[in-house]
Amino acid sequence: MGAKARSNAIQMTDDYCAFSDQTGIILTSIELEFLGFQRNCFSGFFRSLELPDILAFCEENPSYHIISVTEPGRYENRYISGKQLYFLGDGDTNPNLVLNLFLKKSPELFAEEVLAEALAMIDKIDGSGEA
């Protein structure tokens, strides 16, 4: 008997950039406005109340798909009903792709690193006039 590859195995990463590049997650309201969505915030997320709009959009535009935020720091590259936040993606539609930002770090350490990076960026902008 030959071995079989598991085609439904979760492909989990904590590499935000790799997940973003692969899934084509749309993170800004500017990109969404270009697609015809009216936004009143800077982020590209959709709340569950907006779900009918993005489901219809994806049905009319099959090159886009839904990415579900299933818990803080965890994004799944598929539509999962009953969640509070969703994103659109225009890249790989593999439903087994999962981003877990806290895979190797505690949420507290991750938040501390993000804050330190943000403060360094602000300091650089404030001190030199450029980013």
Side-chain angles (χ1 to χ4, degrees):
M1 178 183 328
K4 287 185 177 181
R6 289 184 54 192
S7 61
N8 61 348
I10 297 289
Q11 298 172 24
M12 190 171 300
T13 183
D14 66 348
D15 186 338
Y16 181 81
C17 291
F19 180 84
S20 178
D21 289 345
Q22 189 168 357
T23 61
I25 190 170
I26 299 172
L27 297 170
T28 67
S29 61
I30 294 170
E31 292 176 272
L32 293 174
E33 287 172 358
F34 179 75
L35 296 174
F37 291 98
Q38 300 241 330
R39 309 304 296 161
N40 55 2
C41 66
F42 293 112
S43 179
F45 68 82
F46 292 89
R47 297 188 186 278
S48 58
L49 294 172
E50 302 169 289
L51 200 49
D53 295 335
I54 60 173
L55 286 169
F57 177 82
C58 289
E59 190 171 314
E60 294 172 11
N61 301 279
S63 61
Y64 291 89
H65 66 283
I66 296 174
I67 298 168
S68 304
V69 179
T70 55
E71 59 188 58
R74 184 180 172 107
Y75 296 58
E76 297 195 30
N77 195 38
R78 60 192 173 107
Y79 168 64
I80 301 173
S81 66
K83 299 303 172 189
Q84 298 299 311
L85 296 176
Y86 300 92
F87 287 89
L88 285 177
D90 63 358
D92 190 340
T93 60
N94 180 349
N96 299 324
L97 299 175
V98 175
L99 170 68
N100 186 341
L101 295 172
F102 307 132
L103 192 60
K104 295 181 184 171
K105 300 175 184 173
S106 71
E108 294 81 11
L109 178 58
F110 179 79
E112 185 177 329
E113 288 178 353
V114 169
L115 182 60
E117 288 178 30
L119 290 173
M121 189 179 300
I122 290 170
D123 188 49
K124 183 176 180 182
I125 292 170
D126 189 41
S128 68
E130 52 185 75

